[in-house]
């Protein structure tokens, strides 16, 4: 008697940055067969920039991408039902040269400050909110800003053309490996703004309708990447295996990226963290306005995916 044909694995297409941390995680999931063990085939589709990954998601060329829940909430309020599962609590840092006299936000007066991501960057908005709370000043009126892509800003500060740079954590890690120091990180800013829990800002994002139509695919995908994350949290050997993917030339940068990734792994996601996200939304809405969140006055219902992953 012939055995029944094997059931084809459900395909999950994941949009990733070519040199980004999500691509490393996807490689771990594929290399160890975590995807096939969960009944899916994970296909990592590389793109050159974050915007391109989101265009792929919105255009149907990818099933999952990674971005923040502010974007998800705005999409939902505008009738597009995306949903979010936490990926990382790491956001960014304000980095200055090791010998800089800048010791606090008050010392940024008239300084040339690089800001990755533009005027609506969440790291920048959080530091502006903190300066307003603690110093009663608007940093946007006190600094000389240069908005640009993270690699460009890293190059600018290394050439001595910037006094500081607010950038995403992987680029901050690269600077720390070269002796630059963190003045303040976004996580510390959030805490000083009165939110005590660690709120994952970045997450896996997907269309809720697709997930509901493919429940085994989304559950299998989330289990697979969580297994990859758990391995990266524990195994230095696994980091050595993926080192060629990381684009690092020295041990200090390698270690900074490894430890930065590990520090951002969400340890808890429950009611307290969701409440913290709602508080954080209010702060960001006040600072970024409609340009950031649209016309919404609160975090959209359904922003966070509620279905079980195991």
């Amino acid at each position: 008697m012939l055995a029944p044909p094997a059931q084809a694995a459900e395909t999950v297409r994941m949009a990733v940055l070519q040199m980004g941390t999500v691509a490393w995680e996807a490689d771990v999931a594929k290399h160890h067969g975590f995807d096939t063990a969960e009944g899916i085939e994970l296909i990592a589709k590389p793109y050159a920039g974050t915007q391109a990954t989101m265009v792929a998601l919105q255009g149907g060329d990818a099933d999952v991408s990674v971005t923040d829940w502010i974007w998800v909430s705005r999409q939902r309020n505008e009738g597009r039902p995306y949903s979010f599962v936490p990926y990382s609590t790491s956001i960014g840092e304000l980095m200055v040269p090791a010998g800089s006299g800048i010791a606090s936000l008050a010392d940024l007066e008239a300084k040339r400050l690089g800001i990755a991501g533009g005027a609506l960057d969440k790291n920048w908005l959080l530091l502006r909110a903190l300066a307003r709370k603690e110093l009663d000043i608007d940093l946007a009126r006190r600094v000389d800003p240069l908005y640009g892509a993270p690699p460009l800003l890293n190059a600018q500060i290394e050439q001595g053309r910037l006094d500081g740079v607010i950038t995403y954590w992987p680029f901050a890690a690269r600077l720390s490996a070269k002796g630059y120091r963190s003045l303040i990180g976004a996580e510390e800013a959030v805490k000083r703004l009165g939110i005590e829990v660690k709120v994952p800002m970045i997450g896996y994002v997907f269309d809720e309708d697709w997930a509901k139509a493919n429940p085994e695919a989304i559950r299998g995908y989330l289990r697979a990447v969580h297994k990859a994350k758990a391995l990266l949290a524990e195994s230095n050997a696994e980091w050595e295996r993926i080192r060629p993917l990381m684009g690092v030339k020295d041990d200090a940068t390698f270690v900074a990226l490894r430890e930065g990734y590990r520090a951002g792994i969400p340890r808890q996601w429950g009611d307290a963290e969701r409440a913290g996200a709602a508080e954080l939304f209010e702060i960001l809405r006040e600072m970024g306005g409609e340009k950031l969140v649209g016309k919404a006055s609160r975090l959209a219902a359904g922003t966070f995916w509620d279905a079980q992953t195991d």
Side-chain angles (χ1 to χ4, degrees):
M1 183 176 180
L2 294 176
Q7 186 174 359
E10 294 193 62
T11 298
V12 178
R13 302 163 300 164
M14 185 178 187
V16 303
L17 292 177
Q18 290 174 333
M19 299 291 290
T21 62
V22 183
W24 310 341
E25 192 174 277
D27 180 85
V28 173
K30 288 293 292 183
H31 179 81
H32 293 278
F34 295 152
D35 59 338
T36 55
E38 296 298 343
I40 67 164
E41 180 186 2
L42 175 58
I43 298 176
K45 302 184 69 173
Y47 294 88
T50 301
Q51 186 61 34
T53 67
M54 302 316 295
V55 169
L57 178 65
Q58 292 174 289
D61 292 326
D63 302 309
V64 184
S65 189
V66 170
T67 191
D68 60 72
W69 44 257
I70 292 287
W71 182 90
V72 173
S73 179
R74 180 164 186 168
Q75 295 298 311
R76 292 187 73 88
N77 281 321
E78 295 175 358
R80 294 176 287 273
Y82 290 98
S83 201
F84 173 104
V85 172
Y87 169 77
S88 179
T89 61
S90 294
I91 312 175
E93 304 277 339
L94 168 53
M95 304 295 293
V96 297
S100 170
I102 299 173
S104 71
L105 294 179
D107 297 327
L108 292 174
E109 179 80 34
K111 294 296 191 291
R112 183 73 163 152
L113 187 65
I115 303 168
L120 295 177
D121 172 66
K122 284 75 175 179
N123 298 294
W124 170 230
L125 294 178
L126 288 170
L127 293 182
R128 284 183 59 198
L130 184 62
R132 186 179 66 177
K133 176 185 177 182
E134 295 186 347
L135 304 171
D136 196 26
I137 64 172
D138 184 356
L139 281 180
R141 298 177 181 273
R142 300 298 183 101
V143 305
D144 179 14
L146 173 66
Y147 303 113
L152 170 65
L153 296 180
N154 273 28
Q156 291 284 300
I157 196 170
E158 288 178 43
Q159 293 164 12
R161 296 177 181 175
L162 292 172
D163 298 299
V165 61
I166 299 171
T167 192
Y168 311 137
W169 79 261
F171 295 92
R174 291 177 183 274
L175 287 175
S176 71
K178 296 180 178 180
Y180 292 78
R181 62 181 172 85
S182 172
L183 183 69
I184 182 174
E187 287 185 57
E188 181 185 342
V190 168
K191 187 173 183 178
R192 283 162 59 177
L193 284 165
I195 301 172
E196 293 294 330
V197 295
K198 277 194 172 186
V199 178
M201 194 75 194
I202 307 300
Y204 309 101
V205 175
F206 44 86
D207 187 299
E208 181 182 275
D209 292 339
W210 168 81
K212 288 180 176 178
N214 300 276
E216 294 304 317
I218 189 60
R219 284 196 289 265
Y221 167 78
L222 292 173
R223 287 195 297 261
V225 293
H226 288 163
K227 286 180 179 179
K229 197 180 292 290
L231 183 59
L232 289 169
E234 300 293 336
S235 173
N236 287 347
E238 187 62 15
W239 282 95
E240 292 293 344
R241 188 191 68 77
I242 66 170
R243 184 167 178 163
L245 304 177
M246 298 170 62
V248 296
K249 297 179 180 179
D250 59 86
D251 290 342
T253 303
F254 169 70
V255 171
L257 287 169
R258 183 189 70 196
E259 296 310 306
Y261 173 93
R262 286 173 166 173
I265 295 174
R267 306 298 179 183
Q268 188 167 328
W269 179 240
D271 290 343
E273 288 72 29
R274 293 176 188 233
E279 292 181 60
L280 188 52
F281 177 89
E282 293 300 320
I283 294 170
L284 292 169
R285 181 185 64 82
E286 188 174 351
M287 299 305 301
E290 286 191 15
K291 289 183 179 179
L292 179 66
V293 304
K295 298 183 181 299
S297 60
R298 60 180 58 85
L299 192 65
T303 293
F304 305 123
W305 180 245
D306 285 324
Q308 295 294 315
T309 62
D310 52 22

